[in-house]
Amino acid sequence: MLTTPGAELYYEARGSGPVLLTILGGGGDAAMAGPLAEALARRYTVITYDRRGTTRSPFTGPPAEQRVAEHADDALGLIDASGPEAAYVFGTHSGALIALDLLARHPARVRRLVAHEPPAFDLLPDAARWRRLAQEAVDLGRREGVGPAMRRFGEETGVAAPPEPDPGLPAWVRDMLARMAANMETSLLYELRSFSRFVPDPVALRGAPLVLASGAQSRGKLMHRCTLAVAEHLGVTAVELPGDHVGYLRSPAEFAAALHERLAGSP
């Protein structure tokens, strides 16, 4: 556990070599990053964790609107706790927004970042639409519950809410889906509005050791559009990684190999 202002963070470390911090999106936790971490553990000391307000990382005060900067400070704390060396970072979905802020404000602590499908809706030409949708989803969540709100949000974005655990699935998958569903309350009610309005700092990130990536199966979808918008905003070229929005979970070995190449600096 790591104590940070406003939360207690649960984290795991596995493997050996340079530190690689993974930062997942809303609903995910350390276990969801586990298969990817196992695939990378021969090359890196992989740190996975439950972001504040999820699973085993409780808030130490009343839940409140979250800021990307708070979560980036959490990530910095984990890197600092791992030792004096700068860390590699992989961030996906809202975790990519957190990682971009981490790199912008603490460049000396990040060796190289791969930011995968950052949902920077405010950089899209139809940003006003996504702001309205975020507010509608939060309002619906407070009135009718997280399930209806996430279904509504998923209908518009194409990012599905966690499905109901199927008894035929392996136990660890059922457990993961149950945790994701529980974590969606924090993600929806306290992160969605503020995170979706976050815009990375183009001045601070100019020339930074950064790779922006989207899934090969995400072409033409909203998260691909967001990735391209961030790439244009920062003046870099986006690349592709295997799979879709959760390619790191569906095909962890293939994704890990491609991710390692990007972390190692391959074009």
Side-chain angles (χ1 to χ4, degrees), residues 49-74:
Y49 72 109
D50 302 347
R51 289 204 287 112
R52 59 170 59 211
T54 65
T55 314
R56 296 153 291 193
S57 292
F59 294 122
T60 52
E65 191 75 14
Q66 298 293 291
R67 296 183 299 112
V68 169
E70 289 177 310
H71 288 254
D73 288 344
D74 289 346

Side-chain angles (χ1 to χ4, degrees), residues 20-105:
L20 167 59
L21 176 67
T22 65
I23 313 176
L24 298 193
D29 62 15
M32 191 169 176
L36 177 65
E38 291 291 343
L40 289 164
R42 289 180 298 170
R43 292 187 168 114
Y44 302 93
T45 299
V46 187
I47 297 176
T48 61
Y49 72 109
D50 302 347
R51 289 204 287 112
R52 59 170 59 211
T54 65
T55 314
R56 296 153 291 193
S57 292
F59 294 122
T60 52
E65 191 75 14
Q66 298 293 291
R67 296 183 299 112
V68 169
E70 289 177 310
H71 288 254
D73 288 344
D74 289 346
L76 176 65
L78 290 165
I79 292 173
D80 288 345
S82 72
E85 299 297 324
Y88 293 102
V89 179
F90 168 66
T92 183
H93 195 51
S94 54
L97 300 177
I98 295 165
L100 287 164
D101 189 57
L102 170 68
L103 177 58
R105 293 193 295 117

Side-chain angles (χ1 to χ4, degrees), residues 92-178:
T92 183
H93 195 51
S94 54
L97 300 177
I98 295 165
L100 287 164
D101 189 57
L102 170 68
L103 177 58
R105 293 193 295 117
H106 304 284
R109 303 301 288 136
V110 179
R111 294 178 65 169
R112 191 170 183 83
L113 162 65
V114 175
H116 180 250
E117 301 200 354
F121 296 125
D122 249 29
L123 290 175
L124 296 175
D126 53 351
R129 172 193 175 192
W130 302 110
R131 283 197 174 203
R132 287 194 300 271
L133 177 63
Q135 185 62 58
E136 289 172 8
V138 172
D139 292 342
L140 182 59
R142 295 193 186 280
R143 287 196 317 267
E144 301 182 21
V146 172
M150 291 307 300
R151 285 192 291 273
R152 168 80 177 100
F153 192 73
E155 288 169 357
E156 294 292 329
T157 63
V159 178
E164 291 294 325
D166 186 324
L169 294 171
W172 76 271
V173 176
R174 295 199 306 272
D175 291 344
M176 180 185 69
L177 292 174

